[in-house]
Amino acid sequence: TQLLEQSPQFLSIQEGENLTVYCNSSSVFSSLQWYRQEPGEGPVLLVTVVTGGEVKKLKRLTFQFGDARKDSSLHITAAQPGDTGLYLCAGAVYNFNKFYFGSGTKLNVKP
Amino acid sequence: ETGVTQSPTHLIKTRGQQVTLRCSSQSGHNTVSWYQQALGQGPQFIFQYYREEENGRGNFPPRFSGLQFPNYSSELNVNALELDDSALYLCASSLVTSGGETQYFGPGTRLLVL
């Protein structure tokens, strides 16, 4: 079983549509990160959220950390083909010794 | 560009062999973690090294071992390779700050065990 559950697993949308990806857990994390990964490459960090309830914006991407620090969401506005990739959330537990990754959401944005 | 490099990029081994994968961490980072990512899955934590000592381990058998050197480069060694060890192996260097721990990933080594 995954400590972090991501949904949906797959998402195929048209360019210009909005979407939200969810990352949920029953555990509390000291921080949570979102990554995007292209095929054959390592994950690239998009954002780190630390404070419960925190909202961060990165151009068309909006990230939110749940008040209880157990869940997070990624919202993309007006998706573009360049947003295509595997989106991963990863949570750090308080002792900083481990990062737990979700299984990822594979996003395909069609032109 | 994360400043983390890995070698080799690709590797083919046969079952039962041993393999060593290498990682050069971002300058100033004293922590390195290794992950195994099977096709279509998220990365699974193998272990973490901090100042040359193992500082946390995931659910991997002892035939997965590592080293971290004073210059913050590191190695992942896998003995007695099995077919299921075929995966993308990622290293990530990190720096712990008051804002949390941020990991920077290398591009990975793709290992195929035949």
Side-chain angles (χ1 to χ4, degrees), chain B residues 24-110:
Chain B
S24 177
S25 298
Q26 192 177 109
S27 178
H29 287 185
N30 54 15
T31 302
V32 65
S33 302
W34 284 91
Y35 293 84
Q36 180 194 68
Q37 186 176 23
L39 204 59
Q41 301 291 320
Q44 296 291 315
F45 176 76
I46 302 175
F47 45 55
Q48 183 184 82
Y49 277 78
Y50 173 71
R51 293 185 176 177
E52 302 169 54
E53 303 240 347
E54 189 178 292
N55 189 42
R57 191 175 183 92
N59 191 27
F60 280 81
R63 60 189 184 85
F64 286 78
S65 63
L67 284 171
Q68 185 186 29
F69 303 102
N71 65 356
Y72 302 132
S73 65
S74 66
E75 290 180 355
L76 164 66
N77 299 290
V78 187
N79 293 322
L81 284 166
E82 300 177 0
L83 298 180
D84 285 348
D85 295 333
S86 295
L88 180 69
Y89 287 86
L90 298 160
C91 78
S93 72
S94 55
L95 181 66
V96 178
T97 69
S98 59
E101 181 178 358
T102 298
Q103 294 189 115
Y104 297 89
F105 282 85
T109 293
R110 187 160 295 280

Side-chain angles (χ1 to χ4, degrees), chain B residues 4-18:
Chain B
V4 180
T5 59
Q6 292 186 244
S7 63
T9 55
H10 296 82
L11 199 52
I12 299 175
K13 290 284 189 178
T14 55
R15 196 170 46 182
Q17 285 189 310
Q18 178 267 342

Side-chain angles (χ1 to χ4, degrees), chain A residues 2 30-31 33 35 37 39-45 48-50 86 88 90 92 95-104 106, chain B residues 2 33 35 37 40-45 48 55-58 88 90 96-108 110:
Chain A
Q2 295 275 141
S30 57
S31 66
Q33 300 179 341
Y35 295 83
Q37 187 177 21
E41 298 181 9
V44 175
L45 180 68
T48 299
V49 286
V50 179
L86 178 68
L88 295 158
N95 61 6
F96 293 117
N97 286 350
K98 290 184 183 179
F99 267 88
Y100 296 93
F101 275 84
S103 55
K106 192 169 286 188
Chain B
T2 63
S33 302
Y35 293 84
Q37 186 176 23
Q41 301 291 320
Q44 296 291 315
F45 176 76
Q48 183 184 82
N55 189 42
R57 191 175 183 92
L88 180 69
L90 298 160
V96 178
T97 69
S98 59
E101 181 178 358
T102 298
Q103 294 189 115
Y104 297 89
F105 282 85
R110 187 160 295 280

Side-chain angles (χ1 to χ4, degrees), chain A residues 70-83:
Chain A
K70 293 182 179 180
D71 53 83
S72 181
S73 64
L74 157 61
H75 182 79
I76 301 179
T77 303
Q80 298 176 1
D83 296 328

Side-chain angles (χ1 to χ4, degrees), chain A residues 22-97:
Chain A
Y22 298 94
C23 177
N24 295 298
S25 177
S26 56
S27 299
V28 176
F29 296 99
S30 57
S31 66
L32 195 138
Q33 300 179 341
W34 284 93
Y35 295 83
R36 186 171 79 205
Q37 187 177 21
E38 304 284 345
E41 298 181 9
V44 175
L45 180 68
L46 297 173
V47 77
T48 299
V49 286
V50 179
T51 307
E54 183 176 2
V55 176
K56 281 192 173 178
K57 291 193 175 184
L58 188 68
K59 294 184 182 177
R60 294 177 294 101
L61 277 60
T62 302
F63 305 86
Q64 186 161 9
F65 200 13
D67 290 341
R69 294 164 131 178
K70 293 182 179 180
D71 53 83
S72 181
S73 64
L74 157 61
H75 182 79
I76 301 179
T77 303
Q80 298 176 1
D83 296 328
T84 293
L86 178 68
Y87 288 82
L88 295 158
C89 64
V93 294
Y94 271 96
N95 61 6
F96 293 117
N97 286 350

